[in-house]
């Protein structure tokens, strides 16, 4: 089970799952979506799908400004898909792509889309190994803009 999880984040997730909160609302100092909150709490994929099915935006990005309008350079503008990838949840990222209409062309504030994030992870985390991790390799194939691969589990 996850450790060191912010109790307030769990309260937000609980409220969202029982329909007691606005699923488009942003939370905390980082101004994150409920789905980003769920990913950071390491919830199971089923919880993520329940939030999306209840109305959470699967294409939400982490904002670059704080509530006062000040630009924060520690924020990356990552989408839910990119957050799953950066957390090493490659299989869940593939499932998200299969289950929902995800805009894979969205770029974060470093100018990277999900495909480029995968390539960067392969280069840095897996040292460009021929086969980094099967689900990461599959994501790279699926997200490649020159590919016509159809996702299926």
């Amino acid at each position: 089970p996850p450790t060191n999880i912010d109790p307030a984040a769990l309260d937000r997730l609980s409220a969202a799952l029982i329909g007691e909160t606005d699923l488009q609302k942003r939370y905390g100092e980082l101004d994150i979506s409920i789905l980003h909150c769920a990913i950071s709490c390491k919830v199971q994929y089923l919880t993520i799908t329940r939030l999306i099915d209840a109305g959470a935006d699967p294409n939400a990005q982490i904002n670059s400004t704080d509530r006062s309008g000040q630009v924060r350079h520690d924020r990356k503008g990552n989408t839910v898909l990119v957050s799953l990838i950066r957390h090493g949840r490659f299989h869940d990222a593939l499932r998200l792509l299969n289950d929902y209409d995800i805009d894979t062309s969205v770029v974060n504030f470093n100018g990277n889309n999900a495909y480029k994030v995968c390539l960067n992870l392969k280069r840095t985390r897996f040292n460009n190994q021929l086969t980094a991790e099967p689900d990461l390799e599959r994501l790279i194939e699926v997200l490649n803009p020159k590919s016509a691969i159809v996702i299926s589990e």
Side-chain angles (χ1 to χ4, degrees):
T3 58
N4 299 326
I5 295 177
D6 176 12
L10 288 176
D11 288 344
R12 287 191 290 270
L13 283 171
S14 296
L17 288 168
I18 59 173
E20 292 183 353
T21 190
D22 176 6
L23 292 174
Q24 303 310 315
K25 185 178 175 180
R26 297 298 184 128
Y27 298 95
E29 182 183 323
L30 295 179
D31 206 25
I32 63 174
S33 76
I34 193 67
L35 289 171
H36 288 93
C37 179
I39 293 165
S40 70
C41 288
K42 302 175 181 152
V43 300
Q44 293 180 358
Y45 181 73
L46 179 61
T47 303
I48 293 169
T49 63
R50 287 187 177 158
L51 289 168
I52 294 170
D53 293 345
D57 181 4
N59 290 302
Q61 284 182 275
I62 297 174
N63 291 339
S64 64
T65 56
D66 61 23
R67 293 184 188 277
S68 69
Q70 197 73 11
V71 175
R72 296 280 304 263
H73 297 289
D74 59 335
R75 300 200 186 150
K76 304 288 186 209
N78 288 327
T79 61
V80 172
L81 174 63
V82 169
S83 292
L84 282 170
I85 294 166
R86 291 186 53 77
H87 280 85
R89 296 178 65 174
F90 309 128
H91 185 71
D92 289 341
L94 284 166
R95 292 171 72 188
L96 186 75
L97 287 166
N98 189 54
D99 296 344
Y100 298 96
D101 184 22
I102 303 299
D103 185 352
T104 60
S105 67
V106 176
V107 296
N108 64 17
F109 301 127
N110 292 326
N112 295 322
N113 60 18
Y115 174 66
K116 287 184 180 178
V117 169
C118 286
L119 290 177
N120 289 340
L121 270 177
K122 181 178 178 179
R123 183 177 46 79
T124 57
R125 190 182 295 176
F126 296 100
N127 225 6
N128 276 330
Q129 295 172 11
L130 228 52
T131 304
E133 213 265 24
D135 285 332
L136 176 59
E137 291 295 332
R138 181 80 175 128
L139 270 170
I140 290 170
E141 289 176 35
V142 168
L143 293 169
N144 185 339
K146 296 177 183 174
S147 172
I149 293 177
V150 176
I151 304 167
S152 63
E153 287 195 61

